[in-house]
Amino acid sequence: MNQVDRFKTLPDNARIQAIGNLFKYNNRKTWDIGVRFKQSTRKALKFSQLPYLSRQVVLNQTVDALPLGFPIEFTLPDRAFWQTATVGDSALVTYKLSEEQSQKCFVFESAGKTIYLPQLELARALFFTNNYLANAALINSALDLEFYVDHHPNNDDREFPLDLVINALPTTLCPKVLFDNEGFRHQIAWLLLNSDIKNSFKSIYQYFSQERVRAPNVERWTFRFDPPQLKGVKVAARGWKSPDESTWFINRIELLDGLFFPDISDIGFSHPDFTENKPGSGKGKGGTYPQLPTQREIDENSDGSEDNESALIFCDATQRIYNRVPRTRKVNAQPRKSPGGKEDEDKPNNLPPAVSTDDPNSRGDTPRAAVDGLDDLTDNADLYLNKFDSFFKMLEILEKEHGVKQSKPIVRKLPEVGRSESHLMVDGSPRCMAIVRIEHQNEGYFLLEVDTSDGKASIATKVISARALAPKGKLRDFIPEIERRLLSNQFCWPKKYFDALVGEGNHKSVSHQKSKSEGRLSEEDVNRWAGRVFRDMN
């Protein structure tokens, strides 16, 4: 149960039974969507809240609750073989509201099964993992008006040269806090750089502008769009099935595996509100309010205020895996204003309990929030091997001068723990840990090295006796807990945990000189580091 924020006017454990049309009353600026619940008489939520909305999903959970239905995995066929139908055509959805039954689906065959996939659910999984993109889909050319792709950026960074920079323009409504999520950086680049994906996203507004029906007091539209080419993408989902399991209706997509990303190596991201966090400095006042209470209320009826940066709230994430992804980092951050300036004083230090998921407007009076509903599982840690250049040079010295043998290193991106940002480098790229096993005179050791080249933290190399660890199990079984304790322990190795795991004398922390330039140590410093590691092995 990842959702910790509540919808203000919904009861506990409100299960979504049906999803209907989009509509907007003439005296309102924002669009709603028909939603029916098992435990509530409420009939609509904001379209901006779509990241939360799939059939049979439970909102305001007080206990863990999976979407009802059966799990299914299938592979998407070529787009040429997709047809269109309605929810009612599947004969598997028992909720008989006419607006629900008339919602549009894609229909295709996969491994002998007929799959009915609601168009809105596919769009949610592809695009609407946050409220910003849900809102942008209903604005003509929003992405073109809010982002500029610089294909010829300044490439003066030797360690991290950029192929291109994606610039959020000063007029953008995209909250800067979303760019802290590497998965969102991948998603927005995927949208902007893959023409097929971008055209699919644009088709939402094209149909919306052409097909919405206007009545005296309200406008209505039945969602539809043109899907991108997704041939070969694997889907994990939940839904209803016919008795013979030959026909399926999908309630919720949980994973998309095999999304195509253009062959680009390094992408920078610029936002007009990015500020420079200098190593060792505090966060100052204002900002994006990432440190939130464990629960915040979403006001379904309110418009977003223009007076605050977006708070970050979370919903059950849709997972995705690309065939490849680039390295990414934030660039062009402006120096932070000194504390106490007028700009800081104008921003509240604390947000009230209720937030809005709508874009800010002059009528809004509720602090706006950015929804994070994306979990990017693409394994790209190997792209950051160069961050450990000095570490690998130190291992080469051990090998050449002391006969130490080393295994192939493993690089892992450190996980997010709580609301801490220690898993991120100052430029927003992931902070990684390298793991390598070395052997000398029939004794084995594991070396753990964390990338601190941004100067934000300093941590020694951890040396662990492989012999002492062997009776407890394989190191890979303990790494997740080591990472969790490292990041929740003020960025220090958890000594008591290692004492209990391998014994007090069987693990050591070997300090090394702090780098003075781009994370690289001098040759003299690397030699001293190698000497200290070799000494502590004996």
Side-chain angles (χ1 to χ4, degrees), residues 492-508:
C492 296
W493 293 117
K495 182 179 182 302
K496 291 183 179 179
Y497 177 77
F498 283 118
D499 287 346
L501 184 63
V502 296
E504 187 172 352
N506 294 312
H507 68 94
K508 296 179 181 179

Side-chain angles (χ1 to χ4, degrees), residues 439-455:
E439 291 187 4
H440 182 252
Q441 295 182 348
N442 297 321
E443 284 291 334
Y445 304 88
F446 293 104
L447 272 58
L448 278 56
E449 175 70 10
V450 176
D451 178 14
T452 58
S453 59
D454 59 351

Side-chain angles (χ1 to χ4, degrees), residues 190-205:
W190 177 71
L191 262 170
L192 294 170
L193 303 176
N194 185 324
S195 60
D196 183 44
I197 300 298
K198 190 175 183 181
N199 288 336
S200 175
F201 185 81
K202 284 184 172 182
S203 74
I204 298 171
Y205 178 80

Side-chain angles (χ1 to χ4, degrees), residues 42 44 89 104 120 123 131 154 179 207 225 248 288 297 355 364 384 393 400 418 429 463 471 479 490 516:
R42 189 174 181 89
D89 291 334
K104 291 178 169 54
L120 184 62
N131 50 323
N154 186 349
F179 289 88
Y207 286 120
F225 79 117
W248 285 75
T288 57
E297 284 190 331
V355 293
Y384 297 91
K393 286 182 179 177
K400 292 178 180 178
S429 61
V463 182
I479 285 296
Q490 297 182 337
K516 297 179 180 179

Side-chain angles (χ1 to χ4, degrees), residues 26-265:
N26 293 344
N27 62 346
R28 298 294 303 274
K29 287 193 172 183
T30 55
W31 283 77
D32 293 342
I33 185 168
V35 183
R36 299 299 178 93
F37 296 91
K38 186 175 182 179
Q39 299 93 334
S40 173
T41 58
R42 189 174 181 89
K43 297 181 180 180
L45 290 174
K46 295 263 188 154
F47 186 71
S48 62
Q49 290 150 4
L50 198 67
Y52 292 88
L53 308 183
S54 298
R55 290 169 177 82
Q56 302 304 323
V57 160
V58 176
L59 303 180
N60 290 1
Q61 294 182 29
T62 60
V63 295
D64 288 348
L66 282 174
L68 288 179
F70 303 93
I72 180 176
E73 296 182 0
F74 57 91
T75 301
L76 295 173
D78 190 289
R79 179 175 52 189
F81 299 106
W82 295 27
Q83 297 178 326
T84 59
T86 65
V87 169
D89 291 334
S90 73
L92 291 175
V93 177
T94 58
Y95 200 91
K96 296 304 181 182
L97 181 71
S98 60
E99 192 173 293
E100 160 77 336
Q101 293 287 313
S102 63
Q103 293 304 301
K104 291 178 169 54
C105 293
F106 295 119
V107 185
F108 45 79
E109 302 290 323
S110 181
K113 296 180 174 65
T114 300
I115 309 293
Y116 284 79
L117 175 56
Q119 293 196 21
L120 184 62
E121 176 57 22
L122 178 60
R124 184 201 61 79
L126 288 173
F127 306 129
F128 305 146
T129 60
N130 58 72
N131 50 323
Y132 165 72
L133 287 173
N135 290 329
L138 304 185
I139 300 173
N140 187 19
S141 301
L143 298 182
D144 292 328
L145 295 173
E146 298 196 17
F147 293 93
Y148 165 69
V149 180
D150 182 357
H151 291 275
H152 303 285
N154 186 349
N155 280 313
D156 60 356
D157 190 325
R158 291 180 302 160
E159 184 180 349
F160 201 154
L162 296 173
D163 294 321
L164 55 86
V165 173
I166 293 175
N167 299 279
L169 299 175
T171 54
T172 187
L173 295 174
C174 185
K176 68 176 181 179
V177 70
L178 287 175
F179 289 88
D180 289 340
N181 183 343
E182 185 187 32
F184 175 73
R185 299 199 296 269
H186 292 159
Q187 183 186 24
I188 198 69
W190 177 71
L191 262 170
L192 294 170
L193 303 176
N194 185 324
S195 60
D196 183 44
I197 300 298
K198 190 175 183 181
N199 288 336
S200 175
F201 185 81
K202 284 184 172 182
S203 74
I204 298 171
Y205 178 80
Q206 291 167 357
Y207 286 120
F208 170 72
S209 63
Q210 296 167 8
E211 298 178 350
R212 63 190 197 232
V213 178
R214 292 173 172 85
N217 297 317
V218 67
E219 295 181 71
R220 299 186 184 278
W221 179 56
T222 301
F223 183 92
R224 73 163 169 146
F225 79 117
D226 295 331
Q229 179 59 268
L230 299 170
K231 180 181 179 181
V233 172
K234 297 177 181 178
V235 180
R238 297 186 72 88
W240 306 127
K241 61 182 178 179
S242 62
D244 62 0
E245 300 189 10
S246 64
T247 304
W248 285 75
F249 177 85
I250 303 305
N251 288 326
R252 178 177 172 84
I253 293 173
E254 297 178 337
L255 169 68
L256 295 169
D257 183 357
L259 296 171
F260 176 81
F261 198 100
D263 189 9
I264 300 170
S265 298

Side-chain angles (χ1 to χ4, degrees), residues 215-494:
N217 297 317
V218 67
E219 295 181 71
R220 299 186 184 278
W221 179 56
T222 301
F223 183 92
R224 73 163 169 146
F225 79 117
D226 295 331
Q229 179 59 268
L230 299 170
K231 180 181 179 181
V233 172
K234 297 177 181 178
V235 180
R238 297 186 72 88
W240 306 127
K241 61 182 178 179
S242 62
D244 62 0
E245 300 189 10
S246 64
T247 304
W248 285 75
F249 177 85
I250 303 305
N251 288 326
R252 178 177 172 84
I253 293 173
E254 297 178 337
L255 169 68
L256 295 169
D257 183 357
L259 296 171
F260 176 81
F261 198 100
D263 189 9
I264 300 170
S265 298
D266 299 282
I267 301 178
F269 291 83
S270 172
H271 190 286
D273 293 334
F274 282 169
T275 53
E276 182 180 356
N277 267 334
K278 295 182 178 180
S281 69
K283 279 192 166 297
K285 298 179 182 179
T288 57
Y289 307 98
Q291 303 296 330
L292 295 179
T294 56
Q295 191 172 91
R296 192 175 291 287
E297 284 190 331
I298 300 167
D299 190 338
E300 299 94 306
N301 300 316
S302 65
D303 292 339
S305 168
E306 297 178 325
D307 296 333
N308 73 287
E309 299 289 352
S310 291
L312 193 63
I313 59 177
F314 300 88
C315 66
D316 287 337
T318 298
Q319 298 175 327
R320 64 173 60 199
I321 300 173
Y322 298 92
N323 64 324
R324 70 172 74 83
V325 287
R327 292 192 304 175
T328 65
R329 65 182 174 98
K330 295 187 287 186
V331 298
N332 302 331
Q334 301 299 313
R336 184 181 294 278
K337 300 279 186 179
S338 59
K342 185 177 187 302
E343 187 169 315
D344 288 324
E345 291 171 357
D346 288 343
K347 294 179 180 179
N349 290 329
N350 297 298
L351 288 174
V355 293
S356 169
T357 55
D358 273 334
D359 287 337
N361 65 67
S362 58
R363 297 168 55 179
D365 57 1
T366 302
R368 67 188 188 276
V371 180
D372 185 350
L374 177 63
D375 185 9
D376 190 340
L377 301 180
T378 312
D379 184 6
N380 68 331
D382 61 310
L383 298 178
Y384 297 91
L385 278 167
N386 67 322
K387 305 292 276 185
F388 296 94
D389 183 64
S390 296
F391 178 63
F392 295 144
K393 286 182 179 177
M394 183 272 292
L395 292 175
E396 288 179 9
I397 293 172
L398 289 177
E399 193 171 44
K400 292 178 180 178
E401 297 188 6
H402 302 290
V404 172
K405 297 180 180 179
Q406 59 174 300
S407 65
K408 182 179 178 180
I410 297 171
V411 174
R412 291 172 57 95
K413 292 187 290 186
L414 292 179
E416 182 176 3
V417 176
R419 302 298 172 89
S420 169
E421 294 186 355
S422 296
H423 67 295
L424 298 175
M425 304 290 281
V426 168
D427 64 8
S429 61
R431 191 179 301 278
C432 297
M433 178 170 70
I435 305 168
V436 63
R437 180 186 169 106
I438 61 175
E439 291 187 4
H440 182 252
Q441 295 182 348
N442 297 321
E443 284 291 334
Y445 304 88
F446 293 104
L447 272 58
L448 278 56
E449 175 70 10
V450 176
D451 178 14
T452 58
S453 59
D454 59 351
K456 188 176 180 180
S458 179
I459 185 170
T461 305
K462 175 58 69 175
V463 182
I464 305 169
S465 166
R467 183 192 295 270
L469 180 65
K472 296 291 184 72
K474 296 184 180 297
L475 178 63
R476 66 183 181 214
D477 298 328
F478 304 103
I479 285 296
E481 182 63 15
I482 292 171
E483 291 173 337
R484 186 189 70 80
R485 289 173 179 263
L486 168 69
L487 294 173
S488 59
N489 190 38
Q490 297 182 337
F491 219 59
C492 296
W493 293 117

